Amino acid sequence: MAEYIASIDQGTTSTRCILFNKSGEIVGCHQLEHNQIYPQPGWVEHNPNEIWARTQDVIIEAMRSSGARAQDIAAVGVTNQRETTLVWDKLTGKVFYNAIVWQDTRTDRIIHELGEQGGQNRFQKKVGLPLATYFSGPKIKWILENVAGVREAANSGRAVFGNMDTWLIWNLTGGVDGGRHATDVTHASRTLL
């Protein structure tokens, strides 16, 4: 019988897995950091494959330390660094480019262009927020315009986008062998998409 709830916290600097028992007590926990990549000033990236590997490692170690087996886990919750954005090929699992982290500012030109007509609050009535480099939409636009092969893959239906939760859920549920491309409704705003 499933005895535990697993919580995966995929953050900006590390990934952690915590196992809770039916009483809400922590019975297993493990955390690992991942590399921060700074290709140039204002740019911040993460390697999604490294994060997926760290996620697997923290799950395995949290389960090992608690004595849990996969069949002992009733549910898995995922929280993540929100607007960090990546695009991958759903047929191969290949990531087209490193994840662009929420704090990256490379899309400032895109934000400026969007704000030229209507200003910084141009979309605020529709999405509730002002234009900012923080959001996923401009990052996807940058990837489509600057990474070879992504536009073609998107046009053919192979390229899928997600934030770190979507990437982890896709991998946890089978990846190229039928992984689910999903997110939680509270994370589905994908502002400025």
Side-chain angles (χ1 to χ4, degrees):
M1 177 176 210
E3 298 284 326
Y4 306 112
I5 301 291
S7 175
I8 299 169
D9 175 10
Q10 199 302 290
T12 305
T13 60
S14 68
T15 303
R16 157 183 325 166
C17 180
I18 304 174
L19 290 183
F20 297 92
N21 66 18
K22 290 181 177 181
S23 299
E25 301 164 322
I26 295 174
V27 295
C29 181
H30 194 62
Q31 178 179 0
L32 291 171
E33 292 184 354
H34 55 267
N35 291 311
Q36 306 298 305
I37 303 165
Y38 304 102
Q40 59 182 282
W43 291 26
V44 186
E45 300 176 358
H46 291 156
N47 179 333
N49 294 313
E50 177 189 20
I51 289 174
W52 170 232
R54 295 287 194 275
T55 301
Q56 294 173 82
D57 291 344
V58 298
I59 292 169
I60 290 167
E61 183 56 29
M63 290 174 62
R64 189 203 60 74
S65 68
S66 67
R69 301 164 300 154
Q71 58 266 37
D72 297 328
I73 309 297
V76 178
V78 179
T79 185
N80 73 122
Q81 52 179 304
R82 307 296 283 181
E83 298 292 333
T84 295
T85 302
L86 66 146
V87 179
W88 68 96
D89 188 315
K90 69 180 180 180
L91 301 179
T92 66
K94 178 186 176 287
V95 175
F96 288 103
Y97 189 78
N98 279 335
I100 301 177
V101 178
W102 59 269
Q103 64 210 123
D104 186 286
T105 60
R106 77 185 69 196
T107 61
D108 57 346
R109 179 191 54 79
I110 296 168
I111 296 302
H112 177 75
E113 289 171 3
L114 287 170
E116 283 181 345
Q117 294 181 357
Q120 192 71 13
N121 296 321
R122 176 179 175 188
F123 298 112
Q124 193 158 6
K125 284 185 180 179
K126 189 174 269 189
V127 300
L129 297 164
L131 292 168
T133 59
Y134 171 76
F135 300 115
S136 299
K139 291 177 177 73
I140 297 167
K141 180 175 173 48
W142 187 91
I143 292 170
L144 286 167
E145 292 175 351
N146 292 281
V147 179
V150 177
R151 171 95 46 205
E152 295 78 16
N155 288 339
S156 71
R158 288 187 354 263
V160 291
F161 132 79
N163 298 116
M164 295 313 296
D165 64 329
T166 308
W167 170 244
L168 294 180
I169 291 166
W170 186 79
N171 279 293
L172 286 165
T173 58
V176 296
D177 295 323
R180 300 269 317 203
H181 185 264
T183 191
D184 184 79
V185 68
T186 62
H187 194 176
S189 69
R190 310 288 192 224
T191 307
L192 299 181
L193 189 56

